[in-house]
């Protein structure tokens, strides 16, 4: 406890120096920080073993930011934004080494009897996961590696399985196999569902008060989230293909659809959100059937996609829309069902066989680590995965798995 208190105090800034001691301590604070800024992680750790004062001094967030920004999943985005300012940077770098080395402890959070195709989202200390035609909300226990026994809430309304859902503006926006979209208020019993498509709604996204949906009926639609206009379609877009994935740009000016690549030559197309008109398509020379199962914007000008052709592709709209700037191939030729990034160097993917979760360092071509979560004969795709700086959660056909990188 005392060591934790010391590191927490040091994280706020350099400690008060002793009244007497070696000449090193008498250097101006700015100069000492400059000298220590040239040290790597190992050297800072050794310096911290000299005495208590240096231990506290070398725990200062200022000295660890540079190292953290180059580390995997340390809470810093590529632009340097700190997403976890309340947690000491040194502690995050420690856990980051477990991600780099693949050190973790596997566990199972939930089990269900019937085979499912679950989707999930994280928000704060809560986990939302779909099971059949319900969405269940659970609270994490303090360790983050276990859940409360009973769900905090149950959100119903669909007649068939929930295919996909997102959290937005204290709402759950769900897409169902019954062709309907559900709007649920998280902190009340308010629920509305309306017919959206002629066949199952495979995907949905919501930002800035706008909902976009994609369906097996080969259309994408735009809807308002405003309570008085729910169910009023703003645009209907004929995609000529089944829509498997969809995402709204952070600028709220456009959205991208990932389709089956059967009826149209490009599985990735960007549409204007206000007019519904096609703006551009991404890539060229896709083989038939190279459908995109997951797509996400990382910044307004960059996005990632994955799917049936076994590749993760990184697109930068500022350079070219005809060729991706980076790609990573699934080494066992498996379909990639889902992906997630830390906004910086770490990329995680879920494969179609044996519940394989792969971690990638985006500065390298080869896979960093692979974690098979099932074995024959219970092979299952990873339908959805999410992670924090300490844990990774993967939803499979029969179980919700956790990989604990904080306490391996």
């Amino acid at each position: 406890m005392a060591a934790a208190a010391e590191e927490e105090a040091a994280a706020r800034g350099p400690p008060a120096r002793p009244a007497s001691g070696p000449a090193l301590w008498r250097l101006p604070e700015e100069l000492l920080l400059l000298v220590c800024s040239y040290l790597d992680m190992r050297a800072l750790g050794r310096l911290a073993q000299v005495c208590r004062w240096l231990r506290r001094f070398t725990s200062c967030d200022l000295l660890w930011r540079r190292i953290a920004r180059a580390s995997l999943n340390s809470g810093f985005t590529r632009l340097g934004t700190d997403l976890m300012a309340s947690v000491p940077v040194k502690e995050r770098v420690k856990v980051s080494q477990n991600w780099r080395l693949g050190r973790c402890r596997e566990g199972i959070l939930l089990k269900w009897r019937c085979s499912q195709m679950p989707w999930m989202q994280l928000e704060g200390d809560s986990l939302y996961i779909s099971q059949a035609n319900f969405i269940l909300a659970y609270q994490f226990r303090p360790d983050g590696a276990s859940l409360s026994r009973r769900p905090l809430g149950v959100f119903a309304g669909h007649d068939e399985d929930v295919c996909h859902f997102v959290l937005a503006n204290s709402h759950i926006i769900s897409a169902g196999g019954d062709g309907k979209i559900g709007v649920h208020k998280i902190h009340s019993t308010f629920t509305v569902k309306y017919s959206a498509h002629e066949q199952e709604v495979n995907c949905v996204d919501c930002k800035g008060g706008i909902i976009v949906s994609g369906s097996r009926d080969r259309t994408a639609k735009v809807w308002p989230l405003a309570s008085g206009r729910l169910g009023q379609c703003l645009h209907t877009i004929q995609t000529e293909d089944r829509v498997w994935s969809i995402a709204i740009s952070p600028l709220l000016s456009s959205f991208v659809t990932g389709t089956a690549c059967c009826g149209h030559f490009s599985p990735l197309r960007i549409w204007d959100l206000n007019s519904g008109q096609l703006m551009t398509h991404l890539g060229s020379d896709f083989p038939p059937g190279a459908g995109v199962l997951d797509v996400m914007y990382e910044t307004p000008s960059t996005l990632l996609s994955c799917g049936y052709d076994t590749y993760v592709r990184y697109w930068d709209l500022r350079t070219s829309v005809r060729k991706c700037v980076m790609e990573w191939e699934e080494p066992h030729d498996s379909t990639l069902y889902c992906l997630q990034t830390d906004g910086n160097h770490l990329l995680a993917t879920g494969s179609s066989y044996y519940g394989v979760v792969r971690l990638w360092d985006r500065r390298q071509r080869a896979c960093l680590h692979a974690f098979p979560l099932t074995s024959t004969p219970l092979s299952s795709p990873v339908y959805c995965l999410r992670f924090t700086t300490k844990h990774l959660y993967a939803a499979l056909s029969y179980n919700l798995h956790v990989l604990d990188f904080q306490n391996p």
Side-chain angles (χ1 to χ4, degrees):
M1 292 293 292
E6 282 185 4
E7 292 189 357
E8 184 178 351
R12 294 193 291 267
R17 66 187 67 225
S20 62
L24 178 66
W25 291 350
R26 294 194 291 271
L27 287 174
E29 181 180 294
E30 295 80 3
L31 183 56
L32 190 54
L33 283 170
L34 178 62
V35 171
C36 291
S37 69
Y38 289 96
L39 301 180
D40 60 15
M41 179 173 55
R42 187 181 297 272
L44 281 173
R46 288 173 176 170
L47 186 61
Q49 297 175 19
V50 173
C51 65
R52 288 185 179 181
W53 185 81
L54 280 175
R55 178 183 177 182
R56 292 183 60 196
F57 185 87
T58 55
S59 295
C60 174
D61 279 358
L62 293 173
L63 294 176
W64 290 92
R65 285 182 183 274
R66 173 182 56 84
I67 298 172
R69 291 184 62 178
S71 301
L72 294 177
N73 199 21
S74 62
F76 285 88
T77 66
R78 185 164 296 187
L79 299 178
T81 304
D82 190 352
L83 303 178
M84 300 187 63
S86 61
V87 182
V89 180
K90 181 180 177 180
E91 291 303 307
R92 287 184 265 164
V93 172
K94 286 182 180 178
V95 178
S96 173
Q97 301 313 301
N98 293 333
W99 289 86
R100 181 178 66 86
L101 299 172
R103 294 191 300 230
C104 64
R105 177 168 52 90
E106 182 185 340
I108 295 178
L109 295 181
L110 295 172
K111 296 182 179 181
W112 36 89
R113 295 180 180 179
C114 301
S115 177
Q116 308 278 350
M117 297 177 64
W119 192 258
M120 66 176 166
Q121 299 287 356
L122 304 180
E123 186 174 81
D125 61 352
S126 299
L127 178 142
Y128 298 80
I129 186 165
S130 64
Q131 293 183 24
N133 60 336
F134 297 95
I135 298 173
L136 305 177
Y138 289 91
Q139 185 172 19
F140 285 110
R141 290 174 178 162
D143 62 359
S146 57
L147 296 172
S148 57
R149 179 169 297 183
R150 295 183 178 179
L152 294 174
V154 179
F155 304 90
H158 287 284
D159 300 322
E160 296 186 25
D161 287 1
V162 174
C163 301
H164 194 277
F165 69 92
V166 294
L167 308 179
N169 302 331
S170 299
H171 291 79
I172 300 175
I173 317 298
S174 60
D178 53 5
K180 297 177 181 179
I181 291 176
V183 179
H184 321 265
K185 281 192 176 180
I186 294 177
H187 303 295
S188 75
T189 58
F190 175 86
T191 296
V192 171
K193 66 175 182 177
Y194 53 86
S195 295
H197 293 268
E198 295 178 0
Q199 298 183 43
E200 59 261 40
V201 188
N202 292 320
C203 51
V204 68
D205 196 13
C206 180
K207 285 187 178 71
I210 295 293
I211 301 170
V212 293
S213 60
S215 171
R216 191 182 181 89
D217 66 4
R218 303 188 177 193
T219 64
K221 295 187 178 183
V222 182
W223 314 82
L225 181 58
S227 58
R229 303 179 62 195
L230 288 175
Q232 298 179 14
C233 183
L234 301 178
H235 304 293
T236 298
I237 298 164
Q238 302 296 329
T239 61
E240 306 173 33
D241 244 338
R242 291 164 290 177
V243 184
W244 295 126
S245 55
I246 201 163
I248 299 176
S249 165
L251 294 179
L252 307 180
S253 59
S254 60
F255 67 97
V256 60
T257 55
T259 56
C261 199
C262 294
H264 191 276
F265 65 91
S266 175
L268 281 169
R269 282 171 283 173
I270 297 178
W271 311 83
D272 186 274
L273 195 58
N274 297 315
S275 66
Q277 298 299 310
L278 177 66
M279 296 175 63
T280 187
H281 65 267
L282 303 182
S284 58
D285 301 326
F286 285 98
V292 173
L293 294 177
D294 201 4
V295 61
M296 62 172 290
Y297 275 93
E298 197 168 44
T299 69
S301 56
T302 59
L303 60 150
L304 290 130
S305 64
C306 68
Y308 283 112
D309 68 347
T310 75
Y311 281 90
V312 177
R313 290 186 171 88
Y314 179 58
W315 307 87
D316 191 331
L317 306 181
R318 298 166 296 185
T319 58
S320 172
V321 295
R322 294 294 172 260
K323 186 173 178 60
C324 63
V325 295
M326 190 72 177
E327 62 184 19
W328 300 268
E329 184 179 10
E330 214 286 338
H332 292 163
D333 202 35
S334 298
T335 297
L336 295 173
Y337 270 64
C338 54
L339 60 85
Q340 188 73 21
T341 79
D342 65 346
N344 199 358
H345 302 303
L346 181 66
L347 170 68
T349 58
S351 302
S352 57
Y353 293 112
Y354 307 115
V356 174
V357 171
R358 295 188 184 275
L359 301 183
W360 310 75
D361 186 335
R362 292 167 59 177
R363 296 163 291 190
Q364 305 172 11
R365 290 280 186 178
C367 170
L368 196 62
H369 299 289
F371 304 94
L373 302 180
T374 65
S375 58
T376 307
L378 296 176
S379 177
S380 164
V382 179
Y383 289 109
C384 184
L385 61 81
R386 295 288 183 265
F387 60 77
T388 65
T389 57
K390 300 176 181 179
H391 303 90
L392 184 146
Y393 308 97
L396 280 66
S397 298
Y398 291 94
N399 304 304
L400 174 63
H401 292 255
V402 60
L403 298 179
D404 185 352
F405 290 88
Q406 183 181 23
N407 301 297

